[in-house]
Amino acid sequence: MFAEDKILTGCNENENVFLLPKMANRHGVIAGATGTGKTVTLKVLAESFSDLGVPVFLADMKGDVSGLAKVGSTNDFIARNVEAFGLEEKGFNFKSYPVEFWDLFGEKGLPVRVTLSEMGPMLLAKILNLSEAQAGVLNIIFRVADDESLLIIDLKDLKAMINHVVENKDKYESQYGAIAPKSANTILRSLIAFEDQGGNLFFGEPALDLDDFMQVDDNGKGVINVLDAQKLSLSPEIYSTFLLWMMSSLYQNLPEVGDMDKPKFVFFFDEAHLLFDEISPEFGKKIEQIVRLIRSKGVGIYFISQSPADIPDDILAQLGNRIQHALRAYTPKDQKAVKVAAETFRPNPNFDTAEVISTLGTGEALVSTLDEKGAPNVVEQVKIVPPQSHIGSIEDDLRQQIIDISEFKSKYWEAVDAESAYELLLNKIESNPNIESEVPAADKEILEEVKTQRQEVPQEAPEAPQQQQGSILGDILGTVIASQTKTTTKRRKTKKSDPQKMVEKAASQAMNTAAREVTKGIMRGIFGQMK
């Protein structure tokens, strides 16, 4: 709840606990056992940031966060707290919030897509659970694609590149190192399993522009971007890697802003343990670096998990604002988790923190936020203020209406299959009849598929423009503009549209893709190149 130019988090008989907007980019953690009130706390903070005019991103793991889009209503529990703490005088009133729904599978929200080139080999290796040797081969494949200006946009592009590099490994090994066919085959098998999880829907174009997450509505409220993760939670590797990509992309793309009166953007990372499970020390250091430095870009990151012990100590030390719901100490492991949680707070002389953690009721929490100087306040036991929006999920009809009126539906709803590595490599095969008899079986299958597609759709697209010799940017622009022009021509035949708008849209997509390719190398610099 946003009150007195601060975020009112919780109350008790003696204290109102606030989160200061200027300290909100010092990150935070919301922890507690299942059923103790973490989701309500998440909603209260999201509402407060929206009222403050700060855009928010969060994942909806169970479907009940969608209630942010609907006006709330009272019940006995809410009425008692509103009256006990004088919340009406502080501005509490039931209302809805501006929400955009997103879904990696395009079922309960606008589709979310990322190109494989943007994702990069290191994050992709994490999704596929590759060994160090297999990840090294994957890195070589991406390097070859970079050096030869071949865009790896979706999974069929990557499969074509794997076959191409393995078939020509004698040519590439002297420059890039050993390329083990066995590792390449393992990567291909992993891609098949990944496709079964819906990975073929995740990778593609139009790729997500994170600027579209950072919107404010006409009333000055920050838009709350809700990623439906009910189905996605069954694919934890995709979920955690996407959020990590998003976090690193924000760090890479946003300018330095220093200290601000309020964050530019707040990012909630639910089920945070999925990010850190079985993570390598090197990868953990990269995440720590991003968390430590991204606050200078005006971004606040809030991790949500059952216990602070799920988060590595070096990263936990960067989380200044802490909300701890109940933890149950049934086993020695649970007792250790309670002790760790208690030690993360500045002690309050009025109670034993470890003892209180085990006895908190639903909706109660221990809260410690940062003061004006950035030092942690003494921990307080409070009742979390109730949300002003609807508690629970919303009707499917209302969700669909919100999706239909979104300004981004025309941008993201239809997938675009632009010309990229898949098509360009096969063009080389088609242009040299002698090669076709020598290609491996997998490439022959791809070639036949492309031939069939081309017979179904007559080619009338103009030739690609002359590319600038010796310029990687020129190669990228030439390839992308040509591919987008072909895509536009195909669409004119199947859908009646304004030709001028189609050309403008194709040019915009071309420039966006080119810009992503130019900045892609910067992002990989954050994670480093695999050896």
Side-chain angles (χ1 to χ4, degrees):
M1 177 178 167
F2 187 57
E4 303 176 24
D5 295 326
K6 295 176 286 187
I7 295 173
L8 179 59
T9 305
C11 307
N12 58 32
E13 294 178 355
N14 303 312
E15 297 285 343
N16 293 326
V17 178
F18 293 94
L19 192 163
L20 302 181
K22 66 182 296 183
M23 292 296 164
N25 68 333
R26 303 295 180 94
H27 312 317
V29 58
I30 303 171
T34 301
T36 57
K38 295 194 302 296
T39 300
V40 169
T41 300
L42 166 63
K43 291 184 64 175
V44 169
L45 290 183
E47 291 176 355
S48 302
F49 283 120
S50 178
D51 285 332
L52 184 59
V54 177
V56 172
F57 172 88
L58 54 86
D60 189 357
M61 306 302 290
K62 296 177 290 185
D64 48 0
V65 177
S66 62
L68 285 161
K70 185 176 178 179
V71 177
S73 58
T74 191
N75 57 35
D76 291 342
F77 180 79
I78 292 177
R80 284 197 301 270
N81 284 339
V82 169
E83 182 179 357
F85 303 120
L87 296 182
E88 282 190 353
E89 290 77 9
K90 294 180 173 65
F92 182 92
N93 64 291
F94 292 109
K95 54 186 174 181
S96 61
Y97 285 83
V99 172
E100 289 280 2
F101 289 111
W102 304 85
D103 183 359
L104 264 66
F105 302 102
E107 296 174 357
K108 293 190 174 183
L110 299 174
V112 176
R113 303 182 188 89
V114 178
T115 68
L116 279 165
S117 290
E118 288 178 316
M119 182 67 71
M122 189 170 188
L123 291 180
L124 183 59
K126 181 180 183 298
I127 294 180
L128 301 178
N129 292 317
L130 301 182
S131 67
E132 184 177 354
Q134 293 158 2
V137 171
L138 184 63
N139 193 62
I140 290 174
I141 290 165
F142 272 78
R143 288 291 300 273
V144 172
D146 284 350
D147 294 344
E148 297 186 0
S149 299
L150 297 170
L151 298 177
I152 303 181
I153 292 176
D154 50 27
L155 291 179
K156 69 179 186 300
D157 290 329
L158 181 55
K159 290 178 181 179
M161 277 302 305
I162 293 172
N163 286 320
H164 171 70
V165 171
V166 171
E167 179 66 17
N168 297 278
K169 70 186 188 72
D170 293 341
K171 169 186 172 183
Y172 295 122
E173 283 185 332
S174 60
Q175 181 177 354
Y176 300 98
I179 302 169
K182 184 177 180 180
S183 293
N185 287 334
T186 300
I187 296 171
L188 284 170
R189 289 195 298 271
S190 298
L191 290 176
I192 293 173
F194 184 60
E195 282 182 309
D196 293 339
Q197 298 181 45
N200 57 321
L201 300 175
F202 178 37
F203 291 114
E205 289 190 316
L208 176 66
D209 182 352
L210 289 179
D211 285 343
D212 293 338
F213 277 176
M214 305 176 69
Q215 303 294 318
V216 176
D217 75 357
D218 294 338
N219 297 316
K221 293 184 181 296
V223 174
I224 302 174
N225 298 277
V226 177
L227 176 70
D228 187 86
Q230 296 177 78
K231 183 176 179 180
L232 184 60
S233 62
L234 302 177
S235 304
E237 293 86 3
I238 301 178
Y239 169 74
S240 61
T241 307
F242 167 69
L243 294 192
L244 180 57
W245 167 82
M246 181 179 164
M247 186 166 63
S248 60
S249 295
L250 288 169
Y251 170 73
Q252 176 239 319
N253 290 316
L254 293 177
E256 294 280 345
V257 295
D259 292 328
M260 303 179 68
D261 292 335
K262 63 181 182 181
K264 292 178 63 176
F265 185 73
V266 172
F267 173 34
F268 290 94
F269 200 135
D270 204 354
E271 300 292 344
H273 67 279
L274 296 176
L275 175 60
F276 303 111
D277 285 348
E278 300 179 2
I279 194 171
S280 67
E282 180 183 359
F283 207 81
K285 288 181 180 179
K286 296 298 183 182
I287 299 174
E288 178 197 348
Q289 180 186 26
I290 293 173
V291 172
R292 186 174 67 251
L293 298 178
I294 200 172
R295 76 181 191 189
S296 65
K297 307 294 185 94
V299 176
I301 299 175
Y302 288 73
F303 293 95
I304 305 166
S305 195
Q306 292 203 8
S307 170
D310 296 333
I311 303 170
D313 290 343
D314 291 339
I315 295 176
L316 189 62
Q318 307 296 323
L319 312 181
N321 302 295
R322 304 188 176 187
I323 301 175
Q324 177 66 61
H325 289 275
L327 287 174
R328 309 307 181 197
Y330 298 123
T331 67
K333 183 179 179 180
D334 294 337
Q335 293 168 4
K336 182 179 179 181
V338 169
K339 182 179 179 182
V340 170
E343 291 173 348
T344 64
F345 288 106
R346 180 181 170 187
N348 188 323
N350 296 323
F351 56 82
D352 184 307
T353 304
E355 181 178 339
V356 169
I357 288 177
S358 300
T359 58
L360 289 169
T362 301
E364 294 182 328
L366 294 176
V367 179
S368 175
T369 57
L370 299 177
D371 63 18
E372 292 278 355
K373 297 181 180 179
N377 287 304
V378 170
V379 63
E380 293 286 350
Q381 180 180 354
V382 300
K383 290 186 177 180
I384 299 297
V385 299
Q388 298 169 94
S389 60
H390 177 69
I391 296 178
S393 58
I394 61 172
E395 300 82 2
D396 291 341
D397 289 346
L398 176 57
R399 179 192 292 265
Q400 190 58 52
Q401 290 173 18
I402 295 172
I403 295 170
D404 289 340
I405 65 174
S406 171
E407 63 178 300
F408 300 119
K409 184 175 182 180
S410 60
K411 181 176 181 179
Y412 291 113
W413 196 255
E414 273 191 52
V416 176
D417 189 8
E419 188 174 60
S420 48
Y422 173 79
E423 290 83 8
L424 293 174
L425 287 172
L426 290 168
N427 280 339
K428 292 182 180 180
I429 297 174
E430 285 188 311
S431 63
N432 188 343
N434 294 327
I435 293 179
E436 185 172 348
S437 61
E438 302 172 3
V439 298
D443 280 349
K444 287 182 178 179
E445 292 177 4
I446 296 174
L447 178 59
E448 291 303 319
E449 180 181 343
V450 171
K451 285 181 177 180
T452 301
Q453 292 174 354
R454 289 178 177 173
Q455 289 171 357
E456 294 174 353
V457 182
Q459 301 296 303
E460 298 178 6
E463 294 295 324
Q466 183 71 30
Q467 296 189 22
Q468 300 175 20
Q469 295 296 323
S471 168
I472 295 178
L473 178 58
D475 291 344
I476 293 172
L477 286 173
T479 300
V480 173
I481 292 173
S483 66
Q484 296 292 355
T485 304
K486 291 181 179 180
T487 303
T488 302
T489 303
K490 291 179 183 179
R491 282 184 168 183
R492 286 201 194 103
K493 295 181 178 185
T494 57
K495 183 177 181 181
K496 294 181 180 180
S497 302
D498 184 343
Q500 180 62 30
K501 289 183 178 179
M502 293 298 291
V503 171
E504 290 174 357
K505 184 174 180 180
S508 174
Q509 290 172 342
M511 294 306 297
N512 286 341
T513 305
R516 287 196 298 273
E517 285 301 308
V518 173
T519 60
K520 172 182 60 182
I522 301 175
M523 178 176 167
R524 290 188 187 170
I526 297 172
F527 290 101
Q529 290 288 348
M530 285 188 172
K531 295 183 180 179

mmCIF file of all heavy atoms in Angstrom, residues 168-193:
data_model
loop_
_atom_site.group_PDB
_atom_site.id
_atom_site.type_symbol
_atom_site.label_atom_id
_atom_site.label_comp_id
_atom_site.label_asym_id
_atom_site.label_seq_id
_atom_site.Cartn_x
_atom_site.Cartn_y
_atom_site.Cartn_z
ATOM 1 N N ASN A 168 31.476 -30.195 -41.531
ATOM 2 C CA ASN A 168 32.673 -29.472 -41.978
ATOM 3 C C ASN A 168 33.665 -29.281 -40.841
ATOM 4 O O ASN A 168 34.396 -28.293 -40.804
ATOM 5 C CB ASN A 168 32.259 -28.106 -42.542
ATOM 6 C CG ASN A 168 31.377 -28.217 -43.763
ATOM 7 O OD1 ASN A 168 31.849 -28.408 -44.874
ATOM 8 N ND2 ASN A 168 30.062 -28.105 -43.543
ATOM 9 N N LYS A 169 33.711 -30.225 -39.920
ATOM 10 C CA LYS A 169 34.552 -30.053 -38.743
ATOM 11 C C LYS A 169 36.036 -29.987 -39.082
ATOM 12 O O LYS A 169 36.802 -29.313 -38.393
ATOM 13 C CB LYS A 169 34.283 -31.154 -37.718
ATOM 14 C CG LYS A 169 34.732 -32.550 -38.069
ATOM 15 C CD LYS A 169 34.240 -33.526 -36.997
ATOM 16 C CE LYS A 169 34.832 -34.914 -37.209
ATOM 17 N NZ LYS A 169 36.260 -34.951 -36.876
ATOM 18 N N ASP A 170 36.450 -30.654 -40.166
ATOM 19 C CA ASP A 170 37.864 -30.565 -40.557
ATOM 20 C C ASP A 170 38.247 -29.138 -40.921
ATOM 21 O O ASP A 170 39.379 -28.704 -40.691
ATOM 22 C CB ASP A 170 38.129 -31.487 -41.752
ATOM 23 C CG ASP A 170 37.984 -32.956 -41.382
ATOM 24 O OD1 ASP A 170 38.044 -33.262 -40.171
ATOM 25 O OD2 ASP A 170 37.788 -33.786 -42.292
ATOM 26 N N LYS A 171 37.289 -28.409 -41.439
ATOM 27 C CA LYS A 171 37.525 -27.008 -41.817
ATOM 28 C C LYS A 171 37.594 -26.115 -40.588
ATOM 29 O O LYS A 171 38.395 -25.163 -40.533
ATOM 30 C CB LYS A 171 36.403 -26.549 -42.749
ATOM 31 C CG LYS A 171 36.366 -25.060 -43.024
ATOM 32 C CD LYS A 171 35.134 -24.700 -43.842
ATOM 33 C CE LYS A 171 34.964 -23.194 -43.982
ATOM 34 N NZ LYS A 171 33.728 -22.841 -44.726
ATOM 35 N N TYR A 172 36.773 -26.399 -39.578
ATOM 36 C CA TYR A 172 36.653 -25.489 -38.441
ATOM 37 C C TYR A 172 37.565 -25.835 -37.275
ATOM 38 O O TYR A 172 37.887 -24.962 -36.460
ATOM 39 C CB TYR A 172 35.201 -25.477 -37.945
ATOM 40 C CG TYR A 172 34.224 -24.904 -38.945
ATOM 41 C CD1 TYR A 172 33.143 -25.656 -39.410
ATOM 42 C CD2 TYR A 172 34.366 -23.601 -39.410
ATOM 43 C CE1 TYR A 172 32.239 -25.127 -40.316
ATOM 44 C CE2 TYR A 172 33.464 -23.063 -40.317
ATOM 45 C CZ TYR A 172 32.409 -23.835 -40.778
ATOM 46 O OH TYR A 172 31.522 -23.298 -41.679
ATOM 47 N N GLU A 173 37.986 -27.094 -37.146
ATOM 48 C CA GLU A 173 38.730 -27.491 -35.945
ATOM 49 C C GLU A 173 40.060 -26.769 -35.803
ATOM 50 O O GLU A 173 40.497 -26.475 -34.682
ATOM 51 C CB GLU A 173 38.956 -29.006 -35.943
ATOM 52 C CG GLU A 173 37.721 -29.796 -35.537
ATOM 53 C CD GLU A 173 37.981 -31.281 -35.416
ATOM 54 O OE1 GLU A 173 38.877 -31.792 -36.109
ATOM 55 O OE2 GLU A 173 37.264 -31.927 -34.624
ATOM 56 N N SER A 174 40.718 -26.449 -36.901
ATOM 57 C CA SER A 174 42.002 -25.755 -36.808
ATOM 58 C C SER A 174 41.843 -24.356 -36.225
ATOM 59 O O SER A 174 42.783 -23.819 -35.621
ATOM 60 C CB SER A 174 42.640 -25.659 -38.200
ATOM 61 O OG SER A 174 41.806 -24.944 -39.093
ATOM 62 N N GLN A 175 40.682 -23.770 -36.368
ATOM 63 C CA GLN A 175 40.455 -22.405 -35.879
ATOM 64 C C GLN A 175 39.745 -22.382 -34.531
ATOM 65 O O GLN A 175 40.056 -21.530 -33.678
ATOM 66 C CB GLN A 175 39.631 -21.622 -36.895
ATOM 67 C CG GLN A 175 39.363 -20.167 -36.495
ATOM 68 C CD GLN A 175 38.608 -19.406 -37.563
ATOM 69 O OE1 GLN A 175 38.368 -19.920 -38.661
ATOM 70 N NE2 GLN A 175 38.241 -18.176 -37.248
ATOM 71 N N TYR A 176 38.803 -23.322 -34.311
ATOM 72 C CA TYR A 176 37.968 -23.241 -33.119
ATOM 73 C C TYR A 176 38.254 -24.340 -32.097
ATOM 74 O O TYR A 176 37.751 -24.256 -30.971
ATOM 75 C CB TYR A 176 36.485 -23.312 -33.517
ATOM 76 C CG TYR A 176 36.049 -22.211 -34.444
ATOM 77 C CD1 TYR A 176 35.970 -22.425 -35.813
ATOM 78 C CD2 TYR A 176 35.718 -20.955 -33.957
ATOM 79 C CE1 TYR A 176 35.556 -21.415 -36.679
ATOM 80 C CE2 TYR A 176 35.308 -19.937 -34.798
ATOM 81 C CZ TYR A 176 35.231 -20.179 -36.164
ATOM 82 O OH TYR A 176 34.827 -19.170 -37.011
ATOM 83 N N GLY A 177 38.998 -25.360 -32.458
ATOM 84 C CA GLY A 177 39.249 -26.459 -31.546
ATOM 85 C C GLY A 177 38.452 -27.693 -31.923
ATOM 86 O O GLY A 177 37.655 -27.689 -32.863
ATOM 87 N N ALA A 178 38.661 -28.776 -31.156
ATOM 88 C CA ALA A 178 38.049 -30.064 -31.469
ATOM 89 C C ALA A 178 36.526 -29.998 -31.402
ATOM 90 O O ALA A 178 35.950 -29.370 -30.507
ATOM 91 C CB ALA A 178 38.558 -31.131 -30.514
ATOM 92 N N ILE A 179 35.882 -30.642 -32.363
ATOM 93 C CA ILE A 179 34.419 -30.712 -32.433
ATOM 94 C C ILE A 179 34.029 -32.182 -32.414
ATOM 95 O O ILE A 179 34.161 -32.884 -33.418
ATOM 96 C CB ILE A 179 33.890 -30.023 -33.703
ATOM 97 C CG1 ILE A 179 34.334 -28.556 -33.738
ATOM 98 C CG2 ILE A 179 32.370 -30.123 -33.776
ATOM 99 C CD1 ILE A 179 34.097 -27.876 -35.065
ATOM 100 N N ALA A 180 33.581 -32.657 -31.265
ATOM 101 C CA ALA A 180 33.254 -34.073 -31.107
ATOM 102 C C ALA A 180 31.854 -34.357 -31.635
ATOM 103 O O ALA A 180 30.872 -33.807 -31.111
ATOM 104 C CB ALA A 180 33.359 -34.481 -29.639
ATOM 105 N N PRO A 181 31.726 -35.200 -32.677
ATOM 106 C CA PRO A 181 30.386 -35.549 -33.187
ATOM 107 C C PRO A 181 29.486 -36.133 -32.107
ATOM 108 O O PRO A 181 28.269 -35.914 -32.119
ATOM 109 C CB PRO A 181 30.687 -36.570 -34.287
ATOM 110 C CG PRO A 181 32.086 -36.247 -34.731
ATOM 111 C CD PRO A 181 32.801 -35.814 -33.488
ATOM 112 N N LYS A 182 30.085 -36.869 -31.151
ATOM 113 C CA LYS A 182 29.283 -37.466 -30.089
ATOM 114 C C LYS A 182 28.616 -36.386 -29.247
ATOM 115 O O LYS A 182 27.427 -36.498 -28.881
ATOM 116 C CB LYS A 182 30.163 -38.347 -29.201
ATOM 117 C CG LYS A 182 29.402 -39.101 -28.125
ATOM 118 C CD LYS A 182 30.322 -40.017 -27.337
ATOM 119 C CE LYS A 182 29.529 -40.767 -26.257
ATOM 120 N NZ LYS A 182 30.420 -41.680 -25.475
ATOM 121 N N SER A 183 29.360 -35.322 -28.937
ATOM 122 C CA SER A 183 28.775 -34.207 -28.172
ATOM 123 C C SER A 183 27.693 -33.510 -28.975
ATOM 124 O O SER A 183 26.652 -33.122 -28.433
ATOM 125 C CB SER A 183 29.871 -33.205 -27.785
ATOM 126 O OG SER A 183 30.786 -33.766 -26.866
ATOM 127 N N ALA A 184 27.934 -33.355 -30.273
ATOM 128 C CA ALA A 184 26.937 -32.719 -31.130
ATOM 129 C C ALA A 184 25.650 -33.534 -31.166
ATOM 130 O O ALA A 184 24.538 -32.981 -31.125
ATOM 131 C CB ALA A 184 27.488 -32.547 -32.535
ATOM 132 N N ASN A 185 25.773 -34.862 -31.227
ATOM 133 C CA ASN A 185 24.587 -35.720 -31.234
ATOM 134 C C ASN A 185 23.819 -35.611 -29.912
ATOM 135 O O ASN A 185 22.585 -35.644 -29.897
ATOM 136 C CB ASN A 185 25.004 -37.178 -31.480
ATOM 137 C CG ASN A 185 25.435 -37.414 -32.913
ATOM 138 O OD1 ASN A 185 25.001 -36.706 -33.820
ATOM 139 N ND2 ASN A 185 26.288 -38.395 -33.129
ATOM 140 N N THR A 186 24.569 -35.483 -28.808
ATOM 141 C CA THR A 186 23.919 -35.320 -27.504
ATOM 142 C C THR A 186 23.130 -34.012 -27.461
ATOM 143 O O THR A 186 22.010 -33.957 -26.931
ATOM 144 C CB THR A 186 24.970 -35.331 -26.377
ATOM 145 O OG1 THR A 186 25.680 -36.571 -26.401
ATOM 146 C CG2 THR A 186 24.295 -35.161 -25.019
ATOM 147 N N ILE A 187 23.697 -32.961 -28.030
ATOM 148 C CA ILE A 187 22.997 -31.669 -28.070
ATOM 149 C C ILE A 187 21.714 -31.801 -28.889
ATOM 150 O O ILE A 187 20.654 -31.301 -28.492
ATOM 151 C CB ILE A 187 23.907 -30.581 -28.663
ATOM 152 C CG1 ILE A 187 25.125 -30.364 -27.763
ATOM 153 C CG2 ILE A 187 23.142 -29.269 -28.835
ATOM 154 C CD1 ILE A 187 26.184 -29.456 -28.369
ATOM 155 N N LEU A 188 21.799 -32.493 -30.026
ATOM 156 C CA LEU A 188 20.612 -32.682 -30.859
ATOM 157 C C LEU A 188 19.521 -33.444 -30.111
ATOM 158 O O LEU A 188 18.336 -33.105 -30.185
ATOM 159 C CB LEU A 188 20.982 -33.423 -32.145
ATOM 160 C CG LEU A 188 21.710 -32.599 -33.212
ATOM 161 C CD1 LEU A 188 22.222 -33.510 -34.320
ATOM 162 C CD2 LEU A 188 20.791 -31.520 -33.787
ATOM 163 N N ARG A 189 19.907 -34.487 -29.383
ATOM 164 C CA ARG A 189 18.925 -35.251 -28.611
ATOM 165 C C ARG A 189 18.296 -34.392 -27.517
ATOM 166 O O ARG A 189 17.097 -34.479 -27.242
ATOM 167 C CB ARG A 189 19.575 -36.492 -28.006
ATOM 168 C CG ARG A 189 19.916 -37.580 -29.023
ATOM 169 C CD ARG A 189 20.201 -38.897 -28.327
ATOM 170 N NE ARG A 189 21.355 -38.797 -27.448
ATOM 171 C CZ ARG A 189 22.610 -39.029 -27.817
ATOM 172 N NH1 ARG A 189 22.877 -39.380 -29.083
ATOM 173 N NH2 ARG A 189 23.603 -38.929 -26.965
ATOM 174 N N SER A 190 19.124 -33.540 -26.888
ATOM 175 C CA SER A 190 18.611 -32.653 -25.850
ATOM 176 C C SER A 190 17.619 -31.645 -26.441
ATOM 177 O O SER A 190 16.633 -31.280 -25.796
ATOM 178 C CB SER A 190 19.764 -31.907 -25.166
ATOM 179 O OG SER A 190 20.645 -32.810 -24.527
ATOM 180 N N LEU A 191 17.879 -31.204 -27.663
ATOM 181 C CA LEU A 191 16.969 -30.260 -28.313
ATOM 182 C C LEU A 191 15.616 -30.896 -28.592
ATOM 183 O O LEU A 191 14.574 -30.246 -28.490
ATOM 184 C CB LEU A 191 17.587 -29.743 -29.616
ATOM 185 C CG LEU A 191 18.793 -28.806 -29.470
ATOM 186 C CD1 LEU A 191 19.352 -28.454 -30.842
ATOM 187 C CD2 LEU A 191 18.402 -27.540 -28.714
ATOM 188 N N ILE A 192 15.626 -32.178 -28.929
ATOM 189 C CA ILE A 192 14.372 -32.887 -29.169
ATOM 190 C C ILE A 192 13.541 -32.935 -27.883
ATOM 191 O O ILE A 192 12.337 -32.678 -27.888
ATOM 192 C CB ILE A 192 14.643 -34.309 -29.694
ATOM 193 C CG1 ILE A 192 15.271 -34.235 -31.100
ATOM 194 C CG2 ILE A 192 13.351 -35.127 -29.729
ATOM 195 C CD1 ILE A 192 15.732 -35.572 -31.631
ATOM 196 N N ALA A 193 14.210 -33.255 -26.765
ATOM 197 C CA ALA A 193 13.508 -33.287 -25.482
ATOM 198 C C ALA A 193 13.002 -31.898 -25.112
ATOM 199 O O ALA A 193 11.909 -31.740 -24.554
ATOM 200 C CB ALA A 193 14.435 -33.820 -24.393
#
